[in-house]
Amino acid sequence: MTIPRPARAGGPHRRTLPNGLRVVVAPHWPTPRTAVAVHYGVGFRAERPGQEGMAHLFEHLMFRGSESLPDGAFYDALHPVAGAANGTTHQDYTDYFQTVPAGALEQALFREADRMRAPRFVPDQLAAQLTEVAREIEQMRDGRPYGGLPWPLLPQVMFSRFASAHDGYGDARRLARVTVEDCADFFEAYYTPSNAVLTVLGPHPAEDVWPLVERHFGDVPGRATAAAPPLDEPPLTEDRVLHRADPRVPRTAVAVGHRLPDPAVRPEAYVARMVLAELAQQTAAVEAGAPVSASCGFFGPLDVRGPDALVVTSVLPPGLTADAFLGRLTTFWARLGDARTVGESAADAARSLAARLRRDHADLQQRCRALGRTELLFGRPELVDELPDLVASVTPADLAEAAAELASAARAILVLGGEPEDMGPAGAEGTGPAGDEGTRPAGATAKAPAKPETAVGPETAATPETALGSETTAGPETPVESVTPVESVAPGGSEGDAPVGHRPQRRRGPEALARTSRGPRPLPSPGPAAGPRLDGAVETSADGGLRILAVPDRRAGQVEVRLRVPLGPDGWRRPAEAAWLLRHADAATGASARVRRLGGRLGLATGGQWADISAWAPREAYGELLRVVADLLAPPRFPDAFPASALAAAPRLSPEQRMDRALRLHWLGGATAEPLAPADLHARTLSPRDAVFVVVGDVDPERSAEQAAGALRPWRASTATPEPPSGTGTETGSDSDFGSSSGSDSGSSSGSGSGTASPAVLVLREPAAGDTVAMTLCAPEPDGAPDLPARYLTTALFGGHYGARLAERCRRLGRAGHVMLAGRDVVAGRARALVRVTAPRAEAARAVRDVAEEAVALAAVPPGRDELDTVRRYCAAQLLSAFDSPGLLADALRHTTGSGRGLDWVIGRPQLLDAVTGDEVAAAAAHLFVPATKTVVALGDIEQDWLTNELTVSQ
C-alpha cells in the first residue's frame, strides 16, 4: 500500500506567493461560514535549552495586538458576528484559526495578515500573558493528579535529544525572564511567510479568494527562517522505565510508548498502527485487565514531521501491578501478531476509524486545520480525504505484521503513583528522587517482564482525561489559547542560567516590528451575509405523535440520528431510574456494540428533562441504525423491581443540571413516594408523544423519513395515566441535598410573584464550591407573552451575546468574578426564562439585585435601533454555527424541534428578528426577566436561611 500522489478532482487548490507563503484554498464547501487557519512551522521542538515553553507563550502573545489591531482589537469585529478564534501549540507547529460567517472572510484574512506582518510586543501584555501561562501550567500540569500522563513525562523516557524530550510547557519561573526583545527574536526567527501555510475553507469560489489573499498577504516581507534542530533519534534497544511517585493519584497509572515509523517512508506500517491503536482502544481492556486508552501520536495521527509514539495509557484497578499490566499488553500485541486471530475485530476497528476520520473532517474548523497541517508537514493536503480510504484498506496481514513488531520492540514505560516496588524486577526508578519534577531518566533502567500473565476480565473504571489530541476551543466571549495537550507535569528544562531567547542576528526590535512604512490599515467592511439553507429538508409526523425531520448533508458520507423523548412527570420525578432504563435497554439489545460494528457510535443520555438517543454511522448502515433505535425503544424483559444499582449508578450531573433537578422537583411538588415497576416506568416515559426524530446525512430525505416512520411504527404511546405534572410548589420531597424556603410569597414558584415579596429559594449545599456560588434565577414564561421572535431577541440582548446588558453591567460596575448569562428552555414541561449567575459567595445577593435592576431598566426603556441591530446581526450569525458540521446541525435541529419549533423558525429566524421592535423587546423583558428573580436556586457552600435573609434584605 502506498500513499497516492495525484490530487483528487475537486480537491484543494494550492499556490505559493512570492514571499514564500503557501496557500491552500478548498472552495465550494457547503456551509454558510468560513474557516481560516495559519500554520507556522514552529512548535516546542524548535525550542533550545533555556527556551522551554517559549513557543506556547508566544502563541498567547500573537492574540494581544498588531499594528492595525492593537491592544486586543483582534476580537473587536469578531465577536459581533459570533466568530471564534484560537490557537494551539504542538510539537512541530503552531496553528491559529478563525471561524466566521462567509461574508467576514476578508476580515479574517486581514487579522491574520496583520499579525504576520507587524505584531506588537509590549511589556504589559507580556506580563499579563506570563501570568496566564503560569496559571495554565498550574491548572493543566502541576496542580492536578495524573498531570504528566502521558505528556510531557513519557517523552522524557522515550527520547534522547532535547528537542523531543523536553517539556513544552516549561517552567513559569524561567519564563518570567522573557523580554519583549526575546519575543521579537523568536518572531524574526520562525514566524516567516516561507515557514507558514494559509488555509481557507468555505463556500467561496477559488477565483474569489485568490485576490483577497494577494491583497492582504502579498506585501508581507519574506525572510529566511531559522534552521530547525535535528530531530533524528537513536533507536530504542531496550525498555526504558521511569517511575514517578505522586501521593495525589488514587491509583497507579501506566503509559507505554512505542516508536512510530516515519509515515513518509513506511506509510503502510504507520496506518496499520493507527488501526491497532483503535483496536486496542476497543478491545484491549478485557485482555489487559484494566481500562485502556490508545492513540497513534501523542496529540493525534500525522501531527509531526519527526519521531512520535503509539501511546497506551491505563489507570490500574486495585490488585493489578504495573508489571502484570505490561505483560498482558505484550500478550495482546503478540496474539494480534497472528493474522489468523485478528479476524473480524480488525475489520471493525478499521471501519470504525475510517468513519470517525470522515466525520471529524466534515467539521468546518477541523477540516480547515487538517488541510493546513498536512500541507505544512507533508506537502499533501489531499491526505485529509485519502486517509480514511487508506485506513479502510488495511489488511489482517498488515495488522499482524505491525502487532508482531510491537510485541517484540523496546518501549518507553512511565509508571505514575504507587511505590517503585510495584514494578517488580522492571521497577527501577529513574534518576532523581521521587516527585522530582522535570528530571529525565539517565537511560534504560530495566526490562519489562518477559513472561506475560494470563488475562483477567475487564474493569469498568474509566481512565482519566489525558492529553491525547485534546484541545481547547475558544468561543466568542473569551479567547483561550492553550498548548494542545491539556495535561502535563511539573516544570522541567535544563539547569543553569541558559538564555531564554534564541538570538539570531537581530534585524528588528519590538518597536520596529510593530511599524510598517504604510502604517495601520483599516479593517475591510464585511461582505454580504449568507443565510441558513436547508434545501430538500423534510418535516413530517408519524403515528403516535412522533415528529420526523430529515435533512440531506453529503459532507461526511454518513448519517447522524437524534431522538429526543420528553420523560414526563413520571420520569422527571425518577431521573436515576429513567437513566437505568436506557442502560438496561442498551445491555439487553447490545445496541452500543452493534453500532460500533457498523463503524459508528451510540450515545444515550438523560439530563433530567429528556431521554436522548444520539448515533452516527456510515450512510449504508442507516437501515440497521434504525433497527438499533427501534430495539432500544421496544420494552425489553425487565426485572420486577429496580435493582439497588439503579440509584447508585445515577449519571453525574453538572451544577446546572443539579439546580434544574431541584427546581423540577420543586415545581412538581416534590419527589413522589409511589413505587413504579421498571416496565411501568418505561411505558409511561418512553413514549412517541411529543418526541422528535432527526436524521441529517447523505440520504434521500423523503426516503429516509419514510424509513424512520416505518422502523418506529411499533413504538406506541402508553395508555397508562401519567402522574399529575405539578403540585403546590412548596415541598422538596426526599431529595435531601437541597432545602426550600418560599419566604412570604407562597406562590412564587409559579413565576407569578410581583411587588416586594421575598423570592422562593432552593439551596443545594456544596462545600467543595469554596467561595463561589452558582445560581439559577428563573420563572415560567407566562401566557400572553410576546411572540417568539421578540422573546428570542430579548434573551440575547439581556444576557445572551458578547455585549449583553448583564455583561456590560458587570464590566461597568467592576463586578469581578461575576458571570451572568440569560436563556430560555423547558423544565418540567414548562417554558421558562432564566439567568445563570456565578458570583463570589459574599456578593450573591448583590448579583441577584443586579439582574433585577437590569431587567426593570430594560422593561422601562425600549432599546434603540443601533442596539437592536447589533443583537440581530449577532443572532443571525450565531445561527450559522449550527451548520459547521452534520453532527452540530443534527444537535441544533433536535434542540429546536424538541422545544416545539420547526424548520420554518430555523430558516426564517433572521427575517423574523428584523421585524421585532424596541417596544416588543421591553414588553418581553417585563414578561420574562422581571419575574425571574422571584425563584432562586443556588449551589454552593451556603446556608438556606442565610441566603434567604440576604435576598430579602437586598430586595
Side-chain angles (χ1 to χ4, degrees):
M1 180 183 63
T2 58
I3 294 179
R5 298 298 301 174
R8 293 184 175 184
H13 299 223
R14 301 160 64 195
R15 288 186 187 178
T16 301
L17 301 187
N19 57 17
L21 177 66
R22 286 179 280 170
V23 185
V24 176
V25 174
H28 303 296
W29 190 248
T31 62
R33 299 222 298 173
T34 294
V36 172
V38 177
H39 287 72
Y40 292 92
V42 55
F44 49 79
R45 289 212 286 214
E47 297 166 348
R48 271 57 173 184
Q51 280 190 309
E52 297 92 327
M54 184 68 180
H56 174 220
L57 170 64
F58 197 84
E59 174 225 309
H60 276 244
L61 288 168
M62 285 290 282
F63 286 90
R64 296 303 103 195
S66 55
E67 180 182 39
S68 305
L69 301 168
D71 302 324
F74 183 95
Y75 293 95
D76 286 352
L78 185 68
H79 289 163
V81 294
N86 201 1
T88 59
T89 308
H90 302 238
Q91 291 130 301
D92 293 331
Y93 67 90
T94 302
D95 64 340
Y96 302 87
F97 43 95
Q98 302 177 55
T99 310
V100 296
L105 166 62
E106 188 173 7
Q107 292 185 339
L109 294 173
F110 177 91
R111 283 187 284 266
E112 294 298 346
D114 203 60
R115 60 179 169 183
M116 181 184 289
R117 181 189 303 108
R120 294 180 77 244
F121 305 123
V122 294
D124 60 335
Q125 291 287 5
L126 173 58
Q129 295 313 304
L130 284 168
T131 300
E132 287 299 315
V133 168
R135 183 181 296 114
E136 184 177 336
I137 291 172
E138 173 63 24
Q139 291 176 347
M140 300 300 184
R141 190 190 66 185
D142 299 346
R144 61 193 307 178
Y146 305 108
L149 186 77
W151 187 90
L153 278 179
L154 188 57
Q156 298 175 26
V157 191
M158 189 164 198
F159 300 120
S160 301
R161 289 188 179 272
F162 173 84
S164 296
H166 79 278
D167 179 354
Y169 267 124
D171 184 333
R173 295 165 298 180
R174 185 184 297 275
L175 284 170
R177 307 175 195 170
V178 171
T179 67
V180 291
E181 288 74 22
D182 295 326
C183 298
D185 288 343
F186 197 85
F187 178 85
E188 288 281 72
Y190 298 111
Y191 276 67
T192 66
S194 59
N195 196 34
V197 172
L198 167 68
T199 309
V200 179
L201 173 66
H204 322 274
E207 57 269 21
D208 291 350
V209 177
W210 292 122
L212 301 179
V213 170
E214 292 279 358
R215 181 183 306 165
H216 295 291
F217 291 89
D219 66 346
V220 177
R223 61 187 188 277
T225 304
L231 297 178
D232 57 300
E233 284 279 341
L236 285 175
T237 58
E238 58 181 349
D239 288 351
R240 303 176 69 179
V241 182
L242 173 65
H243 188 285
R244 178 63 55 86
D246 187 341
R248 299 171 301 175
V249 300
R251 290 187 289 164
T252 298
V254 177
V256 182
H258 294 273
R259 290 277 181 87
L260 283 170
D262 186 340
V265 178
R266 297 180 62 202
E268 304 93 338
Y270 188 96
V271 174
R273 282 161 174 78
M274 290 177 61
V275 179
L276 280 178
E278 180 75 11
L279 188 57
Q281 181 89 8
Q282 293 182 7
T283 66
V286 174
E287 207 153 329
V292 168
S293 174
S295 171
C296 200
F298 277 106
F299 311 129
L302 298 176
D303 199 62
V304 301
R305 58 162 60 102
D308 207 353
L310 188 157
V311 182
V312 178
T313 59
S314 179
V315 175
L316 305 183
L320 181 63
T321 66
D323 197 41
F325 172 80
L326 293 168
R328 294 171 181 178
L329 183 61
T330 299
T331 297
F332 176 76
W333 296 133
R335 181 178 61 78
L336 296 180
D338 183 346
R340 295 170 298 180
T341 68
V342 175
E344 187 61 27
S345 60
D348 289 344
R351 185 164 49 246
S352 176
L353 177 57
R356 192 171 73 248
L357 289 168
R358 292 189 182 99
R359 185 177 191 255
D360 289 347
H361 293 152
D363 178 86
L364 178 67
Q365 186 184 96
Q366 290 194 56
R367 182 176 182 82
C368 181
R369 297 174 65 197
L371 291 170
R373 181 186 73 246
T374 50
E375 168 62 31
L376 179 78
L377 299 176
F378 307 105
R380 297 290 322 287
E382 299 86 2
L383 277 175
V384 172
D385 290 322
E386 295 167 355
L387 187 59
D389 293 338
L390 295 173
V391 166
S393 68
V394 170
T395 67
D398 295 329
L399 286 181
E401 180 182 355
E405 291 181 8
L406 292 179
S408 60
R411 57 199 172 173
I413 300 166
L414 166 67
V415 181
L416 191 63
E419 296 298 329
E421 290 76 18
D422 290 346
M423 283 293 295
E429 291 185 87
T431 59
D436 179 23
E437 308 292 1
T439 302
R440 293 193 60 245
T445 58
K447 280 276 189 179
K451 183 179 180 181
E453 297 187 8
T454 303
V456 299
E459 286 285 325
T460 58
T463 57
E465 186 180 0
T466 69
L468 301 177
S470 300
E471 294 174 354
T472 303
T473 302
E477 276 298 322
T478 304
V480 182
E481 308 89 38
S482 79
V483 169
T484 299
V486 298
E487 293 186 336
S488 176
V489 81
S494 56
E495 298 298 327
D497 295 321
V500 172
H502 168 64
R503 285 189 167 86
Q505 182 176 357
R506 182 178 298 168
R507 300 175 184 174
R508 295 177 291 174
E511 297 83 4
L513 272 182
R515 293 195 303 270
T516 64
S517 59
R518 182 172 164 180
R521 309 176 188 206
L523 183 72
S525 299
R533 296 179 61 180
L534 290 172
D535 296 338
V538 170
E539 184 174 7
T540 186
S541 297
D543 295 343
L546 175 68
R547 296 175 63 193
I548 298 176
L549 274 73
V551 178
D553 191 313
R554 292 172 173 80
R555 285 176 284 182
Q558 307 199 44
V559 288
E560 300 276 349
V561 165
R562 306 289 186 270
L563 178 67
R564 170 159 283 183
V565 184
L567 290 174
D570 299 284
W572 296 333
R573 289 189 172 97
R574 302 171 181 85
E577 291 90 335
W580 181 87
L581 290 177
L582 283 185
R583 295 196 303 272
H584 178 76
D586 187 19
T589 62
S592 292
R594 289 162 61 187
V595 176
R596 278 198 302 271
R597 288 195 294 271
L598 296 175
R601 289 291 185 274
L602 175 71
L604 305 173
T606 54
Q609 183 69 24
W610 293 280
D612 281 321
I613 299 175
S614 304
W616 60 269
R619 60 189 170 194
E620 59 271 15
Y622 177 57
E624 181 59 30
L625 199 60
L626 287 174
R627 283 188 283 275
V628 170
V629 174
D631 289 347
L632 282 169
L633 297 170
R637 178 176 295 178
F638 288 112
D640 293 335
F642 285 100
S645 61
L647 296 178
R652 299 178 67 178
L653 302 178
S654 68
E656 291 77 16
Q657 288 174 322
R658 288 182 61 191
M659 289 188 286
D660 288 349
R661 182 186 65 176
L663 177 69
R664 189 175 295 115
L665 293 179
H666 183 71
W667 279 359
L668 290 171
T672 179
E674 176 192 349
L676 279 179
D680 293 335
L681 185 61
H682 182 281
R684 293 188 181 196
T685 55
L686 296 181
S687 165
R689 187 184 299 114
D690 299 324
V692 174
F693 179 90
V694 176
V695 55
V696 175
D698 193 1
V699 293
D700 175 83
E702 293 278 0
R703 172 66 178 150
S704 62
E706 292 174 0
Q707 288 177 279
L712 300 179
R713 186 167 291 119
W715 184 29
R716 298 294 182 182
S718 170
T719 58
T721 302
E723 293 174 343
S726 61
T728 63
T730 60
E731 298 177 3
T732 60
S734 60
D735 196 343
S736 61
D737 71 345
F738 66 90
S740 168
S741 173
S742 60
S744 60
D745 183 7
S746 60
S748 62
S749 63
S750 68
S752 59
S754 59
T756 59
S758 299
V761 178
L762 305 174
V763 170
L764 291 80
R765 287 295 308 278
E766 181 53 76
D771 293 331
T772 299
V773 61
M775 294 182 289
T776 298
L777 322 178
C778 62
E781 294 190 7
D783 295 334
D787 290 340
L788 176 59
R791 284 177 276 158
Y792 186 94
L793 193 64
T794 302
T795 303
L797 187 148
F798 187 59
H801 80 115
Y802 73 101
R805 290 286 184 94
L806 292 175
E808 289 297 327
R809 183 184 182 94
C810 289
R811 283 190 283 267
R812 185 175 70 251
L813 300 180
R815 301 289 198 242
H818 291 232
V819 178
M820 301 177 181
L821 298 171
R824 295 171 51 250
D825 64 7
V826 177
V827 168
R830 301 182 183 184
R832 67 164 178 173
L834 71 146
V835 179
R836 304 281 194 193
V837 176
T838 302
R841 179 176 53 193
E843 300 176 16
R846 184 167 69 178
V848 175
R849 186 171 68 246
D850 281 343
V851 173
E853 291 177 357
E854 204 62 42
V856 169
L858 179 57
V861 181
R865 176 177 295 274
D866 289 346
E867 185 179 13
L868 287 175
D869 287 344
T870 296
V871 181
R872 288 189 187 106
R873 284 192 297 269
Y874 177 85
C875 290
Q878 185 186 47
L879 167 66
L880 303 181
S881 64
F883 293 78
D884 283 358
S885 74
L888 288 174
L889 181 56
D891 289 341
L893 291 175
R894 172 181 60 186
H895 174 76
T896 296
T897 53
S899 300
R901 300 183 287 272
L903 291 177
D904 54 344
W905 168 246
V906 176
I907 300 300
R909 188 186 307 178
Q911 293 75 28
L912 293 170
L913 296 181
D914 283 345
V916 176
T917 67
D919 288 336
E920 289 174 319
V921 167
H927 280 82
L928 301 180
F929 294 108
V930 170
T933 56
K934 296 303 180 182
T935 300
V936 178
V937 188
L939 185 150
D941 189 12
I942 54 177
E943 295 288 344
Q944 174 81 28
D945 293 342
W946 175 83
L947 181 60
T948 302
N949 182 66
E950 288 288 305
L951 293 174
T952 302
V953 171
S954 174
Q955 195 167 26

